[in-house]
């Protein structure tokens, strides 16, 4: 019966790890008999998979929860998943009493049990609401009416239900599930390592995602082979620090696992993100050199160009050690595209420190950066340092940094003019009549093709580059005839 059907809506905030966690959460819910719906209005259960990496991300979640207070009144259940859930824990129930489920990512393994609890509580909490005086029986049965005689909607007077999954941060187990609802039919993600033990002084991740734990390389490879059988051609290995991977069975190092995934029949591209400089070994560059299926792109966040600030950030490397890793990549046989994350305005960052970050951009020649203003986060050691740099100054440094990087990218992209590169076709921009492609270096390369040529999304085609912008390239399908 439609009124009893279990439906859910899920919205995801934050990083690629969260997006992939959501694919697994969706798969788990579907395996439990739920149907995903595209709008909050159609859903019985509304879930937010949240991010708390910076204050802005966290505020977004609380605004969304406040917006949806009325949903509880309409009988819907609300759940908060992910980093805000873990960080704020039961305090969420105080700030948002209409929330029924609070679950951190380290507890996703237990979601099926939590869903059953939620359903049982919904049934127990439900009580018959008498037909309002003057309403006809027909209208009373209309499930679109808020007050309808409908068990799913009749919980408005019930006790608040509170289910939590917050205690698993010390677990050694990963969230492995056969039920992953992948959203892209060509590129698939595999989390190989969860959590983080690095404790950078500004970062909430070790507190929200728990301790570092890896899957066995055999299980990762089995998933990669399964995905290849399903037709996936690109695999992205994920982890907060993907290269800190340690096979619990001791069979393969990270570089060996990369190579093994790259050898899976049918897989044409392997990517991995995010790499931590401290654990970035030469063997990774050698693996890229030896296996053309490993993409020539490494995301290696530096955070600052000043060794003094890197020390205060507890990043476990200094500028010279970081640059040593860059030099390994620059001596690779293929040109490896390098991207990074940078924080400006960390407590105590002087103009001189900031200048060193600017000079590092030049020295490395990044193909892209994600840059952020420092945001003080709960529980983190840097909270004890005075956040003395005014927001306006952080904004100025951010703007200067981004402008410099824009110029660097423009110059670097121009060097690719005239090259013919293979792209994976991701889609089409109908209004511009351009296909959207991605190069192995992870650059967007939009291209045109003769009208009579069939181009398929998910296929790999050669494209000659004719125009370079700072954030993308433009070209023409290479027709060799
Ligand atoms: N594990 C990765 C590493 O160590 O490079 C980073 C993962 S973190 C989810 C993504 C990025 O968020 C970081 O690289 C950092 O630049 C940024 N970030 C983390 N905490 C921050 C904070 N408190 N304020 C501003 N940016 C922050
Ligand atoms: Fe956060 Fe540092 Fe761990 Fe990256 S390595 S997730 S920045 S604590």
């Amino acid at each position: 019966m439609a009124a009893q059907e279990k439906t859910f809506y899920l919205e995801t905030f934050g990083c690629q790890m969260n997006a992939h966690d959501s694919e697994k959460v969706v798969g788990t819910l579907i395996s439990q008999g739920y149907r995903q719906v595209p709008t909050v209005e159609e859903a019985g259960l509304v879930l937010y998979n949240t991010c708390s990496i910076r204050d802005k991300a966290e505020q977004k979640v609380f605004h969304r929860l406040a917006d949806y207070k009325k949903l509880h009144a309409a009988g819907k259940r609300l759940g908060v998943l992910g980093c805000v859930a873990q960080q704020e824990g039961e305090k969420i129930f105080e700030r948002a009493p209409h929330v029924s489920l609070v679950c951190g990512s380290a507890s996703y393994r237990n979601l099926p049990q939590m869903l059953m609890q939620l359903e049982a509580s919904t049934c127990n909490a439900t009580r018959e609401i008498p037909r309002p005086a003057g309403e006809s029986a027909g209208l009373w049965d209309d499930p679109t009416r808020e007050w309808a005689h409908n068990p799913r909607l009749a919980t408005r007077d019930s006790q608040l239900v509170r289910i939590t999954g917050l205690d698993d941060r010390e677990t050694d187990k990963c969230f492995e599930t056969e039920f992953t609802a992948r959203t892209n039919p060509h590129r698939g993600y595999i989390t190989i390592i969860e959590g983080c033990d690095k404790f950078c002084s500004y970062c909430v991740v070790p507190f929200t995602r728990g301790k570092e734990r890896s899957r066995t390389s055999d299980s990762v490879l089995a998933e990669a082979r399964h995905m290849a059988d399903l037709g996936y051609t690109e695999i992205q290995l994920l982890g907060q620090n993907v290269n800190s991977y340690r096979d619990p069975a001791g069979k393969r190092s990270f570089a060996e696992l990369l190579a093994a995934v790259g050898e899976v029949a049918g897989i044409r591209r392997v990517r991995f993100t995010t790499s931590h400089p401290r654990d970035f070994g030469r063997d990774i560059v050698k693996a890229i050199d030896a296996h053309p299926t490993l993409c020539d792109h490494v995301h290696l966040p530096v955070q600052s160009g000043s060794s003094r600030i890197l020390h205060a950030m507890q990043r476990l490397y200094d500028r010279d050690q970081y640059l040593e890793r860059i030099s390994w990549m620059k001596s690779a046989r293929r040109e490896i595209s390098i991207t990074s994350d940078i924080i400006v305005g960390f407590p105590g960052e002087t103009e001189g420190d900031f200048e060193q970050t600017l000079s590092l951009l030049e020295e490395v020649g990044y193909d892209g950066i994600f840059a952020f203003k420092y945001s003080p986060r709960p529980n983190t050691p840097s909270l004890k340092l005075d956040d003395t740099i005014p927001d306006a100054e952080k904004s100025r440094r951010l703007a200067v940094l981004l402008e410099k990087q824009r110029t660097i990218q423009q110059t670097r992209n121009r060097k690719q003019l005239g090259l013919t590169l293979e792209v994976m076709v991701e889609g089409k921009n109908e209004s511009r009549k351009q296909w959207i492609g991605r190069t192995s270096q992870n650059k967007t390369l939009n291209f045109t093709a003769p009208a009579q040529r069939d181009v398929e999304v998910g296929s790999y085609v050669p494209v000659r580059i004719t125009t370079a912008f700072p954030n993308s390239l433009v070209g023409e399908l290479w027709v060799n005839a």
Side-chain angles (χ1 to χ4, degrees):
M1 257 195 317
Q4 283 162 353
E5 191 187 17
K6 298 191 289 186
T7 50
F8 74 99
Y9 167 87
L10 171 66
E11 187 172 343
T12 306
F13 300 82
C15 63
Q16 190 52 57
M17 290 280 289
N18 259 13
H20 181 50
D21 281 348
S22 283
E23 292 184 331
K24 295 197 271 187
V25 168
V26 169
T28 304
L29 278 142
I30 291 172
S31 75
Q32 297 292 307
Y34 284 77
R35 181 170 67 86
Q36 188 172 19
V37 291
T39 62
V40 167
E41 288 70 29
E42 293 165 75
L45 175 62
V46 177
L47 296 170
Y48 295 117
N49 186 3
T50 60
C51 170
S52 64
I53 197 83
R54 285 167 291 278
D55 186 50
K56 252 198 191 146
E58 189 183 317
Q59 291 315 320
K60 234 192 215 167
V61 174
F62 281 107
H63 284 140
R64 193 61 51 94
L65 288 178
D67 281 354
Y68 286 120
K69 238 178 215 169
K70 54 187 180 293
L71 296 180
H72 183 257
K76 295 181 195 295
R77 290 295 197 207
L78 246 93
V80 181
L81 310 177
C83 291
V84 175
Q86 187 63 58
Q87 180 187 290
E88 297 299 307
E90 302 203 1
K91 279 190 267 169
I92 291 184
F93 296 129
E94 286 157 35
R95 276 181 82 168
H98 47 292
V99 168
S100 304
L101 171 70
V102 171
C103 176
S105 64
S107 302
Y108 288 163
R109 288 172 295 110
N110 305 323
L111 261 181
Q113 292 87 315
M114 285 187 257
L115 290 169
M116 280 192 283
Q117 264 179 291
L118 191 65
E119 287 157 25
S121 67
T122 304
C123 294
N124 294 339
T126 300
R127 59 185 187 76
E128 299 258 323
I129 298 176
R131 174 163 20 131
E135 291 297 347
S136 74
L139 271 182
W140 179 227
D141 282 331
D142 178 355
T144 62
R145 299 281 173 144
E146 192 212 339
W147 38 256
H149 179 62
N150 170 340
R152 198 160 53 86
L153 302 183
T155 51
R156 58 190 172 158
D157 293 341
S158 69
Q159 293 281 308
L160 296 172
V161 173
R162 298 184 161 180
I163 295 165
T164 55
L166 297 168
D167 303 325
D168 274 344
R169 281 176 298 170
E170 289 301 315
T171 184
D172 287 324
K173 296 201 179 97
C174 294
F175 179 30
E176 293 196 42
T177 169
E178 56 187 304
F179 306 112
T180 303
R182 298 186 194 278
T183 45
N184 181 318
H186 312 290
R187 173 183 303 131
Y189 300 89
I190 304 181
T191 301
I192 65 167
I193 177 169
E194 294 181 19
C196 176
D197 287 343
K198 292 279 190 292
F199 289 92
C200 299
S201 64
Y202 51 81
C203 184
V204 286
V205 169
F207 305 96
T208 57
R209 286 189 167 266
K211 75 173 198 189
E212 206 164 84
R213 53 211 185 268
S214 301
R215 291 171 61 177
T216 64
S217 61
D218 281 348
S219 129
V220 172
L221 278 169
E223 188 168 351
R225 287 191 197 105
H226 179 62
M227 285 166 63
D229 289 344
L230 292 172
Y232 289 89
T233 57
E234 181 177 315
I235 286 183
Q236 291 200 12
L237 303 181
L238 297 180
Q240 287 302 334
N241 297 308
V242 73
N243 60 326
S244 308
Y245 175 81
R246 268 172 171 254
D247 186 351
K251 273 198 185 169
R252 295 175 185 87
S253 67
F254 173 65
E256 287 165 346
L257 176 60
L258 268 184
V261 176
E263 283 167 11
V264 170
I267 297 303
R268 296 183 62 155
R269 285 185 174 179
V270 181
R271 301 185 184 279
F272 53 100
T273 196
T274 296
S275 296
H276 191 288
R278 161 79 172 229
D279 299 333
F280 192 86
R282 243 187 159 139
D283 54 348
I284 298 174
V285 181
K286 286 190 182 143
I288 294 175
D289 265 342
H291 294 83
T293 48
L294 304 188
C295 288
D296 36 8
H297 168 226
V298 172
H299 186 62
L300 195 69
V302 66
Q303 313 301 354
S304 168
S306 154
S307 291
R308 198 179 71 82
I309 294 297
L310 287 172
H311 181 69
M313 288 176 163
Q314 294 166 203
R315 281 295 284 181
L316 310 173
Y317 56 84
D318 60 20
R319 179 183 173 112
D320 287 345
Q321 287 166 328
Y322 182 84
L323 285 172
E324 185 184 27
R325 279 131 184 90
I326 298 294
S327 73
W328 296 340
M329 287 191 265
K330 291 201 169 166
S331 56
R333 282 203 283 274
R334 278 186 287 165
E335 191 192 353
I336 296 178
S337 164
I338 305 167
T339 55
S340 195
D341 293 349
I342 286 169
I343 296 176
V344 296
F346 185 79
E349 184 189 69
T350 62
E351 192 56 36
D353 293 317
F354 177 59
E355 291 289 336
Q356 290 189 48
T357 300
L358 293 178
S359 76
L360 188 92
L361 292 192
E362 288 277 9
E363 206 165 334
V364 176
Y366 289 114
D367 276 320
I369 58 166
F370 296 102
F372 313 101
K373 294 192 273 185
Y374 168 70
S375 168
R377 301 283 58 220
N379 303 316
T380 59
S382 67
L383 209 54
K384 293 199 192 84
L385 307 172
D386 282 342
D387 180 24
T388 46
I389 301 174
D391 190 58
E393 176 58 14
K394 286 182 189 166
S395 299
R396 186 193 69 80
R397 290 184 192 178
L398 187 66
V400 171
L401 186 87
L402 291 175
E403 188 46 41
K404 180 157 195 85
Q405 179 57 27
R406 197 180 152 79
T407 317
I408 292 171
Q409 278 173 221
Q410 177 73 77
T411 310
R412 289 191 55 79
N413 282 350
R414 274 202 193 118
K415 288 195 179 139
Q416 298 204 307
L417 286 171
L419 295 181
T420 300
L421 300 179
E422 185 181 69
V423 301
M424 187 219 232
V425 183
E426 293 187 338
K428 190 171 186 186
N429 183 327
E430 291 294 348
S431 59
R432 288 205 204 139
K433 300 205 177 341
Q434 275 179 337
W435 292 94
I436 304 162
R438 188 159 298 275
T439 68
S440 170
Q441 289 195 334
N442 206 30
K443 295 188 182 189
T444 302
L445 170 45
N446 299 312
F447 64 99
T448 49
Q452 71 278 13
R453 282 296 290 250
D454 254 358
V455 177
E456 269 181 44
V457 172
S459 66
Y460 292 79
V461 295
V463 175
R464 200 175 70 85
I465 299 169
T466 54
T467 312
F469 296 115
N471 291 310
S472 65
L473 301 159
V474 178
E476 295 158 351
L477 182 74
W478 177 247
V479 186
N480 194 9

